[in-house]
Structures are given as C-alpha cells and as structure tokens.
Amino acid sequence: QVQLVESGGGLVQAGGSLRLSCAASGRTRSRYAMGWFRQAPGKEREFVATISWDGGSTNYADSVKGRFTISRDNAKNTVYLQMNSLKPEDTAVYYCAARRGTILYTTQVDYDYWGQGTQVTVSS
C-alpha cells in the first residue's frame, strides 16, 4: 500500500505560479511511476503529467506543455508539479497518483493509488 498526500494548492491570479507537492508513504521502496491528474467542476478527470520512477522520462498533456513541469525527489518520496503562466481554465482539483512500473502511464486506469486532491483556483 502507498499513501499519497497532496499540498500546495490555493488561489492565484492568471499568469501566476504554484508548486504542488505529493508526499508518498508506505511501500515506497518499489519503482513507482507517478502522475498528476485534474478534475474541473462538471468535467471528467484528465491527465496532466507523468514521470518515470527514476525521473528520467516525463510526458505532459498538450494543454500544459511548456507551462507545467513535473519532477521528483526519491530521497524525500515526493513528486512536484511546478505550474507557471496559470490560466483560469487550469482551475481544478489536482490529484497525485502512483503505480508500480518503469514506464510512463497517462490514463487513470493505469494507476493504483490516489491522493485526496488539492484545489487550485486561478482568477482572471
């Protein structure tokens, strides 16, 4: 079992930045790929970014490419999502997810563990 706790959400003006963190605990010694997803009101949860277990590979949704950066610090069992040039359409609850594996995973069904989510609100 792996437990995930997100933090760092909040209210920011358009054009601003936020950094989300996801702290993992439990069985973290295995090789886990990590991902960030988001869900806006009235919409389905969607993929945002993913990173391989060693941090060597990443993948992003087209809507966030060039603005968001996913990274990880395995010594701290923490994954980050740096979000720059935020737009009102980035407003959503952001979820961290994990699954054992050595490649990248971009769909929800691929992931076994989820955090509770953190709210990001971008005002215009």
Side-chain angles (χ1 to χ4, degrees):
Q1 286 285 352
V2 174
Q3 294 78 44
L4 303 173
V5 178
E6 302 96 334
S7 62
L11 174 64
V12 64
Q13 287 189 332
S17 298
L18 281 175
R19 189 176 82 155
L20 305 183
S21 299
C22 173
S25 61
R27 288 191 164 184
T28 57
R29 299 179 70 85
S30 297
R31 297 177 176 180
Y32 283 93
M34 303 293 294
W36 285 98
F37 290 76
R38 67 186 182 185
Q39 188 168 18
K43 295 188 177 181
E44 294 187 353
R45 192 177 301 185
E46 64 176 4
F47 166 74
V48 174
T50 182
I51 188 166
S52 59
W53 70 276
D54 62 351
S57 298
T58 58
N59 194 8
Y60 298 91
D62 288 342
S63 58
V64 306
K65 275 181 185 175
R67 300 189 298 122
F68 290 11
T69 303
I70 188 171
S71 61
R72 65 191 298 164
D73 184 342
N74 286 343
K76 296 182 179 179
N77 291 326
T78 301
V79 176
Y80 305 98
L81 186 68
Q82 178 67 45
M83 306 186 294
N84 299 329
S85 302
L86 283 161
K87 304 175 182 180
E89 50 263 46
D90 295 317
T91 295
V93 177
Y94 283 71
Y95 297 90
C96 174
R99 70 149 287 160
R100 195 177 303 175
T102 58
I103 63 174
L104 298 176
Y105 304 92
T106 61
T107 60
Q108 297 183 59
V109 295
D110 289 327
Y111 288 87
D112 300 313
Y113 305 102
W114 293 83
Q116 82 290 347
T118 186
Q119 176 70 47
V120 171
T121 303
V122 184
S123 64
S124 57

PDB file of all heavy atoms in Angstrom, residues 93-116:
ATOM      1  N   VAL A  93      -9.451  20.510  -9.173  1.00  0.00           N
ATOM      2  CA  VAL A  93      -8.828  19.747  -8.095  1.00  0.00           C
ATOM      3  C   VAL A  93      -7.742  18.892  -8.736  1.00  0.00           C
ATOM      4  O   VAL A  93      -8.007  18.165  -9.703  1.00  0.00           O
ATOM      5  CB  VAL A  93      -9.851  18.861  -7.363  1.00  0.00           C
ATOM      6  CG1 VAL A  93      -9.142  18.015  -6.288  1.00  0.00           C
ATOM      7  CG2 VAL A  93     -10.944  19.715  -6.734  1.00  0.00           C
ATOM      8  N   TYR A  94      -6.538  18.987  -8.199  1.00  0.00           N
ATOM      9  CA  TYR A  94      -5.401  18.261  -8.742  1.00  0.00           C
ATOM     10  C   TYR A  94      -5.107  17.044  -7.866  1.00  0.00           C
ATOM     11  O   TYR A  94      -4.998  17.168  -6.638  1.00  0.00           O
ATOM     12  CB  TYR A  94      -4.175  19.170  -8.814  1.00  0.00           C
ATOM     13  CG  TYR A  94      -4.245  20.131  -9.979  1.00  0.00           C
ATOM     14  CD1 TYR A  94      -5.148  21.190  -9.973  1.00  0.00           C
ATOM     15  CD2 TYR A  94      -3.433  19.958 -11.092  1.00  0.00           C
ATOM     16  CE1 TYR A  94      -5.234  22.050 -11.048  1.00  0.00           C
ATOM     17  CE2 TYR A  94      -3.506  20.818 -12.178  1.00  0.00           C
ATOM     18  CZ  TYR A  94      -4.412  21.862 -12.147  1.00  0.00           C
ATOM     19  OH  TYR A  94      -4.498  22.721 -13.225  1.00  0.00           O
ATOM     20  N   TYR A  95      -4.955  15.894  -8.531  1.00  0.00           N
ATOM     21  CA  TYR A  95      -4.726  14.636  -7.849  1.00  0.00           C
ATOM     22  C   TYR A  95      -3.375  14.052  -8.233  1.00  0.00           C
ATOM     23  O   TYR A  95      -2.988  14.069  -9.405  1.00  0.00           O
ATOM     24  CB  TYR A  95      -5.805  13.622  -8.220  1.00  0.00           C
ATOM     25  CG  TYR A  95      -7.194  13.998  -7.808  1.00  0.00           C
ATOM     26  CD1 TYR A  95      -8.016  14.727  -8.660  1.00  0.00           C
ATOM     27  CD2 TYR A  95      -7.702  13.616  -6.574  1.00  0.00           C
ATOM     28  CE1 TYR A  95      -9.301  15.077  -8.292  1.00  0.00           C
ATOM     29  CE2 TYR A  95      -8.992  13.958  -6.194  1.00  0.00           C
ATOM     30  CZ  TYR A  95      -9.780  14.687  -7.059  1.00  0.00           C
ATOM     31  OH  TYR A  95     -11.056  15.029  -6.682  1.00  0.00           O
ATOM     32  N   CYS A  96      -2.722  13.498  -7.255  1.00  0.00           N
ATOM     33  CA  CYS A  96      -1.490  12.759  -7.456  1.00  0.00           C
ATOM     34  C   CYS A  96      -1.840  11.266  -7.508  1.00  0.00           C
ATOM     35  O   CYS A  96      -2.737  10.817  -6.793  1.00  0.00           O
ATOM     36  CB  CYS A  96      -0.555  13.054  -6.288  1.00  0.00           C
ATOM     37  SG  CYS A  96       0.957  12.115  -6.256  1.00  0.00           S
ATOM     38  N   ALA A  97      -1.123  10.513  -8.343  1.00  0.00           N
ATOM     39  CA  ALA A  97      -1.386   9.084  -8.479  1.00  0.00           C
ATOM     40  C   ALA A  97      -0.071   8.329  -8.625  1.00  0.00           C
ATOM     41  O   ALA A  97       0.925   8.889  -9.092  1.00  0.00           O
ATOM     42  CB  ALA A  97      -2.287   8.824  -9.673  1.00  0.00           C
ATOM     43  N   ALA A  98      -0.110   7.054  -8.243  1.00  0.00           N
ATOM     44  CA  ALA A  98       1.102   6.227  -8.307  1.00  0.00           C
ATOM     45  C   ALA A  98       0.765   4.817  -8.768  1.00  0.00           C
ATOM     46  O   ALA A  98      -0.332   4.318  -8.527  1.00  0.00           O
ATOM     47  CB  ALA A  98       1.769   6.161  -6.929  1.00  0.00           C
ATOM     48  N   ARG A  99       1.729   4.219  -9.454  1.00  0.00           N
ATOM     49  CA  ARG A  99       1.599   2.810  -9.789  1.00  0.00           C
ATOM     50  C   ARG A  99       2.998   2.226  -9.942  1.00  0.00           C
ATOM     51  O   ARG A  99       3.937   2.929 -10.333  1.00  0.00           O
ATOM     52  CB  ARG A  99       0.792   2.597 -11.045  1.00  0.00           C
ATOM     53  CG  ARG A  99       1.436   3.017 -12.329  1.00  0.00           C
ATOM     54  CD  ARG A  99       0.978   2.148 -13.471  1.00  0.00           C
ATOM     55  NE  ARG A  99       1.560   0.804 -13.414  1.00  0.00           N
ATOM     56  CZ  ARG A  99       1.047  -0.242 -14.038  1.00  0.00           C
ATOM     57  NH1 ARG A  99      -0.060  -0.119 -14.763  1.00  0.00           N
ATOM     58  NH2 ARG A  99       1.629  -1.416 -13.949  1.00  0.00           N
ATOM     59  N   ARG A 100       3.111   0.968  -9.613  1.00  0.00           N
ATOM     60  CA  ARG A 100       4.381   0.295  -9.759  1.00  0.00           C
ATOM     61  C   ARG A 100       4.659   0.096 -11.241  1.00  0.00           C
ATOM     62  O   ARG A 100       3.781  -0.300 -12.009  1.00  0.00           O
ATOM     63  CB  ARG A 100       4.339  -1.068  -9.056  1.00  0.00           C
ATOM     64  CG  ARG A 100       5.712  -1.684  -8.854  1.00  0.00           C
ATOM     65  CD  ARG A 100       5.582  -2.982  -8.093  1.00  0.00           C
ATOM     66  NE  ARG A 100       4.912  -2.788  -6.812  1.00  0.00           N
ATOM     67  CZ  ARG A 100       4.590  -3.789  -6.004  1.00  0.00           C
ATOM     68  NH1 ARG A 100       4.868  -5.032  -6.348  1.00  0.00           N
ATOM     69  NH2 ARG A 100       3.985  -3.540  -4.874  1.00  0.00           N
ATOM     70  N   GLY A 101       5.884   0.430 -11.654  1.00  0.00           N
ATOM     71  CA  GLY A 101       6.229   0.252 -13.055  1.00  0.00           C
ATOM     72  C   GLY A 101       7.376   1.134 -13.459  1.00  0.00           C
ATOM     73  O   GLY A 101       7.717   2.093 -12.759  1.00  0.00           O
ATOM     74  N   THR A 102       7.955   0.813 -14.604  1.00  0.00           N
ATOM     75  CA  THR A 102       9.153   1.514 -15.047  1.00  0.00           C
ATOM     76  C   THR A 102       8.939   2.352 -16.293  1.00  0.00           C
ATOM     77  O   THR A 102       9.889   2.933 -16.819  1.00  0.00           O
ATOM     78  CB  THR A 102      10.286   0.508 -15.304  1.00  0.00           C
ATOM     79  OG1 THR A 102       9.848  -0.430 -16.291  1.00  0.00           O
ATOM     80  CG2 THR A 102      10.659  -0.239 -14.033  1.00  0.00           C
ATOM     81  N   ILE A 103       7.705   2.430 -16.792  1.00  0.00           N
ATOM     82  CA  ILE A 103       7.443   3.254 -17.976  1.00  0.00           C
ATOM     83  C   ILE A 103       6.495   4.385 -17.596  1.00  0.00           C
ATOM     84  O   ILE A 103       6.170   4.543 -16.423  1.00  0.00           O
ATOM     85  CB  ILE A 103       6.846   2.415 -19.121  1.00  0.00           C
ATOM     86  CG1 ILE A 103       5.480   1.834 -18.727  1.00  0.00           C
ATOM     87  CG2 ILE A 103       7.798   1.302 -19.522  1.00  0.00           C
ATOM     88  CD1 ILE A 103       4.773   1.118 -19.872  1.00  0.00           C
ATOM     89  N   LEU A 104       6.055   5.176 -18.559  1.00  0.00           N
ATOM     90  CA  LEU A 104       5.125   6.264 -18.306  1.00  0.00           C
ATOM     91  C   LEU A 104       3.691   5.792 -18.499  1.00  0.00           C
ATOM     92  O   LEU A 104       3.410   4.990 -19.382  1.00  0.00           O
ATOM     93  CB  LEU A 104       5.416   7.434 -19.252  1.00  0.00           C
ATOM     94  CG  LEU A 104       6.792   8.074 -19.115  1.00  0.00           C
ATOM     95  CD1 LEU A 104       6.971   9.158 -20.171  1.00  0.00           C
ATOM     96  CD2 LEU A 104       7.009   8.641 -17.728  1.00  0.00           C
ATOM     97  N   TYR A 105       2.784   6.329 -17.710  1.00  0.00           N
ATOM     98  CA  TYR A 105       1.378   5.958 -17.759  1.00  0.00           C
ATOM     99  C   TYR A 105       0.547   7.222 -17.816  1.00  0.00           C
ATOM    100  O   TYR A 105       0.740   8.121 -16.993  1.00  0.00           O
ATOM    101  CB  TYR A 105       0.990   5.132 -16.528  1.00  0.00           C
ATOM    102  CG  TYR A 105       1.849   3.905 -16.351  1.00  0.00           C
ATOM    103  CD1 TYR A 105       3.001   3.956 -15.569  1.00  0.00           C
ATOM    104  CD2 TYR A 105       1.536   2.713 -16.975  1.00  0.00           C
ATOM    105  CE1 TYR A 105       3.811   2.843 -15.417  1.00  0.00           C
ATOM    106  CE2 TYR A 105       2.326   1.593 -16.821  1.00  0.00           C
ATOM    107  CZ  TYR A 105       3.467   1.659 -16.043  1.00  0.00           C
ATOM    108  OH  TYR A 105       4.259   0.555 -15.895  1.00  0.00           O
ATOM    109  N   THR A 106      -0.384   7.297 -18.768  1.00  0.00           N
ATOM    110  CA  THR A 106      -1.116   8.544 -18.985  1.00  0.00           C
ATOM    111  C   THR A 106      -2.625   8.423 -18.803  1.00  0.00           C
ATOM    112  O   THR A 106      -3.341   9.400 -19.021  1.00  0.00           O
ATOM    113  CB  THR A 106      -0.842   9.078 -20.400  1.00  0.00           C
ATOM    114  OG1 THR A 106      -1.292   8.119 -21.357  1.00  0.00           O
ATOM    115  CG2 THR A 106       0.639   9.356 -20.607  1.00  0.00           C
ATOM    116  N   THR A 107      -3.118   7.252 -18.412  1.00  0.00           N
ATOM    117  CA  THR A 107      -4.557   7.113 -18.217  1.00  0.00           C
ATOM    118  C   THR A 107      -4.866   6.725 -16.779  1.00  0.00           C
ATOM    119  O   THR A 107      -4.057   6.085 -16.093  1.00  0.00           O
ATOM    120  CB  THR A 107      -5.152   6.050 -19.155  1.00  0.00           C
ATOM    121  OG1 THR A 107      -4.516   4.792 -18.881  1.00  0.00           O
ATOM    122  CG2 THR A 107      -4.927   6.414 -20.609  1.00  0.00           C
ATOM    123  N   GLN A 108      -6.039   7.112 -16.317  1.00  0.00           N
ATOM    124  CA  GLN A 108      -6.422   6.894 -14.926  1.00  0.00           C
ATOM    125  C   GLN A 108      -6.402   5.426 -14.545  1.00  0.00           C
ATOM    126  O   GLN A 108      -5.964   5.072 -13.439  1.00  0.00           O
ATOM    127  CB  GLN A 108      -7.826   7.445 -14.674  1.00  0.00           C
ATOM    128  CG  GLN A 108      -7.968   8.929 -14.864  1.00  0.00           C
ATOM    129  CD  GLN A 108      -9.362   9.378 -14.513  1.00  0.00           C
ATOM    130  OE1 GLN A 108      -9.827   9.198 -13.389  1.00  0.00           O
ATOM    131  NE2 GLN A 108     -10.047   9.983 -15.473  1.00  0.00           N
ATOM    132  N   VAL A 109      -6.861   4.583 -15.437  1.00  0.00           N
ATOM    133  CA  VAL A 109      -6.992   3.165 -15.101  1.00  0.00           C
ATOM    134  C   VAL A 109      -5.630   2.511 -14.872  1.00  0.00           C
ATOM    135  O   VAL A 109      -5.552   1.431 -14.289  1.00  0.00           O
ATOM    136  CB  VAL A 109      -7.774   2.406 -16.181  1.00  0.00           C
ATOM    137  CG1 VAL A 109      -9.204   2.898 -16.248  1.00  0.00           C
ATOM    138  CG2 VAL A 109      -7.094   2.503 -17.540  1.00  0.00           C
ATOM    139  N   ASP A 110      -4.569   3.166 -15.322  1.00  0.00           N
ATOM    140  CA  ASP A 110      -3.235   2.622 -15.116  1.00  0.00           C
ATOM    141  C   ASP A 110      -2.779   2.722 -13.667  1.00  0.00           C
ATOM    142  O   ASP A 110      -1.882   2.008 -13.247  1.00  0.00           O
ATOM    143  CB  ASP A 110      -2.212   3.364 -15.983  1.00  0.00           C
ATOM    144  CG  ASP A 110      -2.370   3.047 -17.454  1.00  0.00           C
ATOM    145  OD1 ASP A 110      -2.754   1.913 -17.784  1.00  0.00           O
ATOM    146  OD2 ASP A 110      -2.103   3.952 -18.274  1.00  0.00           O
ATOM    147  N   TYR A 111      -3.369   3.616 -12.905  1.00  0.00           N
ATOM    148  CA  TYR A 111      -2.869   3.945 -11.568  1.00  0.00           C
ATOM    149  C   TYR A 111      -3.632   3.214 -10.460  1.00  0.00           C
ATOM    150  O   TYR A 111      -4.844   3.052 -10.520  1.00  0.00           O
ATOM    151  CB  TYR A 111      -2.937   5.458 -11.339  1.00  0.00           C
ATOM    152  CG  TYR A 111      -1.892   6.182 -12.151  1.00  0.00           C
ATOM    153  CD1 TYR A 111      -2.138   6.577 -13.459  1.00  0.00           C
ATOM    154  CD2 TYR A 111      -0.631   6.449 -11.604  1.00  0.00           C
ATOM    155  CE1 TYR A 111      -1.158   7.211 -14.207  1.00  0.00           C
ATOM    156  CE2 TYR A 111       0.334   7.086 -12.345  1.00  0.00           C
ATOM    157  CZ  TYR A 111       0.068   7.466 -13.645  1.00  0.00           C
ATOM    158  OH  TYR A 111       1.042   8.093 -14.386  1.00  0.00           O
ATOM    159  N   ASP A 112      -2.861   2.804  -9.459  1.00  0.00           N
ATOM    160  CA  ASP A 112      -3.415   2.022  -8.355  1.00  0.00           C
ATOM    161  C   ASP A 112      -3.698   2.860  -7.109  1.00  0.00           C
ATOM    162  O   ASP A 112      -4.570   2.504  -6.315  1.00  0.00           O
ATOM    163  CB  ASP A 112      -2.432   0.908  -7.968  1.00  0.00           C
ATOM    164  CG  ASP A 112      -2.172  -0.032  -9.125  1.00  0.00           C
ATOM    165  OD1 ASP A 112      -3.143  -0.458  -9.780  1.00  0.00           O
ATOM    166  OD2 ASP A 112      -0.992  -0.336  -9.385  1.00  0.00           O
ATOM    167  N   TYR A 113      -2.946   3.909  -6.914  1.00  0.00           N
ATOM    168  CA  TYR A 113      -3.043   4.706  -5.681  1.00  0.00           C
ATOM    169  C   TYR A 113      -3.287   6.167  -6.028  1.00  0.00           C
ATOM    170  O   TYR A 113      -2.690   6.704  -6.962  1.00  0.00           O
ATOM    171  CB  TYR A 113      -1.765   4.569  -4.861  1.00  0.00           C
ATOM    172  CG  TYR A 113      -1.401   3.142  -4.557  1.00  0.00           C
ATOM    173  CD1 TYR A 113      -0.394   2.495  -5.271  1.00  0.00           C
ATOM    174  CD2 TYR A 113      -2.083   2.423  -3.573  1.00  0.00           C
ATOM    175  CE1 TYR A 113      -0.069   1.175  -5.019  1.00  0.00           C
ATOM    176  CE2 TYR A 113      -1.758   1.100  -3.318  1.00  0.00           C
ATOM    177  CZ  TYR A 113      -0.765   0.484  -4.042  1.00  0.00           C
ATOM    178  OH  TYR A 113      -0.445  -0.826  -3.781  1.00  0.00           O
ATOM    179  N   TRP A 114      -4.151   6.794  -5.217  1.00  0.00           N
ATOM    180  CA  TRP A 114      -4.543   8.186  -5.444  1.00  0.00           C
ATOM    181  C   TRP A 114      -4.525   8.970  -4.147  1.00  0.00           C
ATOM    182  O   TRP A 114      -4.838   8.440  -3.076  1.00  0.00           O
ATOM    183  CB  TRP A 114      -5.957   8.240  -6.031  1.00  0.00           C
ATOM    184  CG  TRP A 114      -6.038   7.677  -7.409  1.00  0.00           C
ATOM    185  CD1 TRP A 114      -6.169   6.369  -7.770  1.00  0.00           C
ATOM    186  CD2 TRP A 114      -5.965   8.421  -8.633  1.00  0.00           C
ATOM    187  NE1 TRP A 114      -6.189   6.244  -9.146  1.00  0.00           N
ATOM    188  CE2 TRP A 114      -6.074   7.494  -9.691  1.00  0.00           C
ATOM    189  CE3 TRP A 114      -5.818   9.774  -8.942  1.00  0.00           C
ATOM    190  CZ2 TRP A 114      -6.035   7.881 -11.036  1.00  0.00           C
ATOM    191  CZ3 TRP A 114      -5.782  10.160 -10.257  1.00  0.00           C
ATOM    192  CH2 TRP A 114      -5.892   9.220 -11.301  1.00  0.00           C
ATOM    193  N   GLY A 115      -4.178  10.245  -4.267  1.00  0.00           N
ATOM    194  CA  GLY A 115      -4.302  11.154  -3.138  1.00  0.00           C
ATOM    195  C   GLY A 115      -5.705  11.725  -3.062  1.00  0.00           C
ATOM    196  O   GLY A 115      -6.573  11.406  -3.890  1.00  0.00           O
ATOM    197  N   GLN A 116      -5.915  12.590  -2.071  1.00  0.00           N
ATOM    198  CA  GLN A 116      -7.247  13.132  -1.835  1.00  0.00           C
ATOM    199  C   GLN A 116      -7.525  14.376  -2.689  1.00  0.00           C
ATOM    200  O   GLN A 116      -8.668  14.826  -2.780  1.00  0.00           O
ATOM    201  CB  GLN A 116      -7.426  13.468  -0.350  1.00  0.00           C
ATOM    202  CG  GLN A 116      -6.860  14.809   0.088  1.00  0.00           C
ATOM    203  CD  GLN A 116      -5.341  14.864   0.095  1.00  0.00           C
ATOM    204  OE1 GLN A 116      -4.669  13.839  -0.005  1.00  0.00           O
ATOM    205  NE2 GLN A 116      -4.784  16.064   0.216  1.00  0.00           N
TER     206      GLN A 116
END
